[in-house]
Amino acid sequence: MITVATVNVNGVRAAFKRGMADWIGTRAPDVLLLQEVRAPDEILGDFLPTNEWDVAHEASEIKGRAGVAIASRLPMSAVRIGLGTGVPVDTGRWVEADLEVPARDGAPARTLTVVSAYIHSGTADTPKMDEKYAFLDVATARLGELAEAGGYVVVAGDLNIAHREVDIKNWKGNLKAAGFLPRERAYLDRWFDDLGWRDLGREHGGDGPGPYTWWSWRGQAFDNDSGWRIDYQLATPDLADAAISVEVDRAESYDARFSDHAPVVVAYDL
């Protein structure tokens, strides 16, 4: 059984101050996909030491922004950084790694490809939305390549898009807000309907509403469960068939959170 966890940490230093190490110790994931690391390599290494993890990290060229990482207890055989746009605001948003899953119980050794992705949040009717759509275009092209290649692939992270009305508590009030615009949601339609990616959170989470993965720090959003489901694990069909359980590790209380996002944890029978 291989456990893959993804979480937007909202700053790795802040997350560990708030108790993320305890969650890692309890959950003991084999693979940990992080978004919004917001730290250089040496700082990340303080929290995820290389004697315990193989780590691939792309920091943003813009200090204090973005940053994605993969930490794996399985050995990495290849790492691919970024999507090659050459735009600084696109850095720290996409990293891939090929992980080697050992043979067991008569099953051969195999490769598991994992992606940690952090899509722009965007702001409706501003240049930031143009940046988001441009990045979604290149991400869609890469997702097409990965889907065509087949095999065991998971693309996970904070996509900053709620796909359906059941994925956001106050959907009526956010119809014109970034993260729930029809044009953004259409990208997910294409990924699922045309490219064949499977949304494990929805497949295993029932008809909804929720389970949500992000709640604002402000007000009573967390206590009222007024959230968004914007953190995903998307799998190729073969890998999706191997998913045994999908869980959102929602904290027991507001003050027990280490991030404004909750981890999404999937156990795969590989």
Side-chain angles (χ1 to χ4, degrees), residues 228-247:
W228 298 52
R229 190 176 75 94
I230 56 176
D231 301 89
Y232 296 79
Q233 290 205 34
L234 311 182
T236 50
D238 285 346
L239 184 62
D241 289 343
I244 300 302
S245 66
V246 180
E247 298 175 281

Side-chain angles (χ1 to χ4, degrees), residues 31-238:
V31 183
L32 184 57
L33 309 178
L34 307 180
Q35 303 86 45
E36 269 202 281
V37 173
R38 290 194 269 152
D41 289 346
E42 58 270 22
I43 296 296
L44 181 60
D46 290 341
F47 300 111
L48 299 171
T50 55
N51 64 331
E52 298 180 23
W53 303 88
D54 277 3
V55 177
H57 175 223
E58 185 196 28
S60 175
E61 292 181 18
I62 303 172
K63 188 176 180 180
R65 294 275 302 278
V68 287
I70 298 167
S72 174
R73 300 188 192 278
L74 303 172
M76 292 184 183
S77 58
V79 172
R80 295 172 292 278
I81 299 291
L83 290 175
T85 69
V87 179
V89 75
D90 289 346
T91 57
R93 295 189 180 275
W94 191 278
V95 61
E96 303 178 13
D98 296 335
L99 311 179
E100 298 311 310
V101 179
R104 68 169 181 86
D105 299 332
R110 61 197 70 190
T111 298
L112 170 65
T113 297
V114 297
V115 178
S116 181
Y118 176 48
I119 304 295
H120 306 61
S121 56
T123 303
D125 301 319
T126 73
K128 289 186 176 182
M129 284 308 300
D130 297 331
E131 294 171 352
K132 183 173 189 175
Y133 291 134
F135 190 79
L136 283 166
D137 285 339
V138 294
T140 299
R142 181 58 183 153
L143 286 168
E145 294 171 349
L146 289 167
E148 185 176 1
Y152 296 97
V153 187
V154 58
V155 176
D158 177 5
L159 303 185
N160 267 313
I161 303 170
H163 188 214
R164 298 290 188 219
E165 293 171 4
V166 294
D167 296 317
I168 175 173
K169 181 71 171 286
N170 182 23
W171 65 268
K172 290 182 179 178
N174 284 281
L175 289 171
K176 297 183 179 180
F180 199 58
L181 299 173
R183 183 176 170 185
E184 295 174 283
R185 296 159 62 193
Y187 280 95
L188 299 188
D189 291 338
R190 182 178 177 191
W191 297 354
F192 303 148
D193 299 339
D194 298 339
L195 301 182
W197 292 91
R198 288 169 55 182
D199 177 1
L200 299 183
R202 179 51 61 219
E203 285 191 14
H204 290 253
D207 295 332
Y212 306 124
T213 64
W214 176 82
W215 306 262
S216 172
W217 285 117
R218 301 188 298 273
Q220 300 297 310
F222 184 81
D223 293 335
N224 296 332
D225 200 24
S226 184
W228 298 52
R229 190 176 75 94
I230 56 176
D231 301 89
Y232 296 79
Q233 290 205 34
L234 311 182
T236 50
D238 285 346

